[in-house]
């Protein structure tokens, strides 16, 4: 077994800082699925998510020497990815554009041809509505809900990733869930009507929404290839 595969995250990061050219690649390979899922769910667009992840990894690669070990390496990586996503959301809100229908397809329905992580499973109409509602939330609430409710991170870990108090995470989640309940309230009557039409009074009620799961990651591409500032540090 390759020694890197069994090495702790911190050891890999230190090896990278010391000049090991393969250590950071191993670190990314170890955590790429969850980092990609966070980026995709936060941005809701594959190209934007791929570029944000690329930007974050460049920043982490260049800022590794400044990592002090005050948190887990994975927490540090997630923080940089989330910050990269939030930066893109804020820029997109400041300079809105009109994307292609699903953000990554050409007119003939084919993909962009870019080397990028696999897409989630095919969306159902309800899932698309849920994603649109999630995208309508304020960025801070969206980030908290993606990490807590979608990715399943503990509140304490999310607080470390976002650099806020646990109570702030709970408050953002509560407000976000309340807004989603309003935005998605129209889904409940339709499901209830379907249930009431069944002859069996014990039939189950409103079905749960399945968000779709990201597939295995094959790689990450970047349209721009540009370098960002090294502002994403451990205490960002």
């Amino acid at each position: 077994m390759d020694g890197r595969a069994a090495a702790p995250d911190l050891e890999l990061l230190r090896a990278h800082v010391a000049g090991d050219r393969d250590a950071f690649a191993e670190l990314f390979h170890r955590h790429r699925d969850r980092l990609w899922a966070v980026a995709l769910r936060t941005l809701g667009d594959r190209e934007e998510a791929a570029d944000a992840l690329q930007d974050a990894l460049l920043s982490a690669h260049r800022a590794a020497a400044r990592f002090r070990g005050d948190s887990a390496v994975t927490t540090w990586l997630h923080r940089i990815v989330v910050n990269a996503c939030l930066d893109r959301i804020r820029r997109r809100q400041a300079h809105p554009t009109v994307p292609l229908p699903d953000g990554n397809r050409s007119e003939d329905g084919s993909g962009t041809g870019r080397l990028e992580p696999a897409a989630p499973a095919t969306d159902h109409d309800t899932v698309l509505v849920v994603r649109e509602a999630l995208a309508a939330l304020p960025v801070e609430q969206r980030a908290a809900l993606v990490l807590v409710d979608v990715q399943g991170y503990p509140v304490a870990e999310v607080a470390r990733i976002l650099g806020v108090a646990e109570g702030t995470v709970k408050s953002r989640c509560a407000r976000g869930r309340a807004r989603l309940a309003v935005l998605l309230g129209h889904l409940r009557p339709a499901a209830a009507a379907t249930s009431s039409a069944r002859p069996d009074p014990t039939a189950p009620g409103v079905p749960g929404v399945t968000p779709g799961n990201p597939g295995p990651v094959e790689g990450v591409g970047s349209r721009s290839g540009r370098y960002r500032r090294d502002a994403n540090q451990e205490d960002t």
Side-chain angles (χ1 to χ4, degrees):
M1 177 183 294
D2 187 344
R4 291 191 189 90
D9 290 346
L10 183 57
E11 183 178 320
L12 286 174
L13 193 64
R14 288 173 174 169
H16 161 65
V17 173
D20 186 332
R21 296 186 177 184
D22 297 321
F24 192 85
E26 174 62 31
L27 185 64
F28 167 58
H29 178 81
R30 182 176 296 177
H31 299 293
R32 63 182 181 178
D33 286 354
R34 301 201 78 180
L35 294 174
W36 164 247
V38 167
L40 180 60
R41 299 303 182 190
T42 302
L43 287 164
D45 180 280
R46 287 177 65 188
E47 289 194 4
E48 286 280 324
D51 282 348
L53 185 55
Q54 180 78 3
D55 289 347
L57 290 173
L58 285 171
S59 293
H61 188 277
R62 302 166 80 184
R66 297 195 292 275
F67 180 74
R68 297 189 301 271
D70 295 339
S71 63
V73 172
T74 183
T75 300
W76 176 70
L77 289 173
H78 277 79
R79 185 182 306 163
I80 294 175
V81 170
V82 169
N83 284 340
C85 292
L86 296 185
D87 284 348
R88 283 185 170 271
I89 291 171
R90 294 184 181 109
R91 288 200 300 269
R92 189 167 60 191
Q93 291 175 341
H95 305 285
T97 59
V98 180
L100 291 172
D102 78 347
N104 71 320
R105 293 183 181 273
S106 57
E107 292 182 358
D108 63 359
S110 62
T112 61
R114 299 169 58 238
L115 187 63
E116 63 184 11
T122 303
D123 291 315
H124 298 293
D125 290 343
T126 301
V127 176
L128 290 174
V129 171
V130 172
R131 288 187 180 178
E132 289 175 359
L134 189 62
L137 297 179
V139 292
E140 291 81 6
Q141 294 176 19
R142 188 194 315 180
L145 279 178
V146 166
L147 290 168
V148 174
D149 288 356
V150 179
Q151 295 304 121
Y153 288 100
V155 169
E157 180 70 4
V158 173
R160 288 189 289 270
I161 291 172
L162 298 179
V164 298
E166 291 184 33
T168 300
V169 174
K170 293 178 182 178
S171 177
R172 290 177 181 178
C173 286
R175 292 199 302 271
R177 291 174 190 133
R179 292 174 70 98
L180 285 179
V182 173
L183 293 171
L184 300 175
H186 64 285
L187 296 178
R188 291 178 177 271
T194 300
S195 177
S196 62
R198 296 170 181 166
D200 182 2
T202 64
V206 179
V209 175
T210 303
N213 298 316
V217 179
E218 298 298 335
V220 176
S222 175
R223 291 172 295 178
S224 61
R226 61 189 178 279
Y227 291 90
R228 301 180 61 203
R229 66 187 187 281
D230 293 336
N232 288 311
Q233 300 179 22
E234 181 190 350
D235 56 352
T236 300

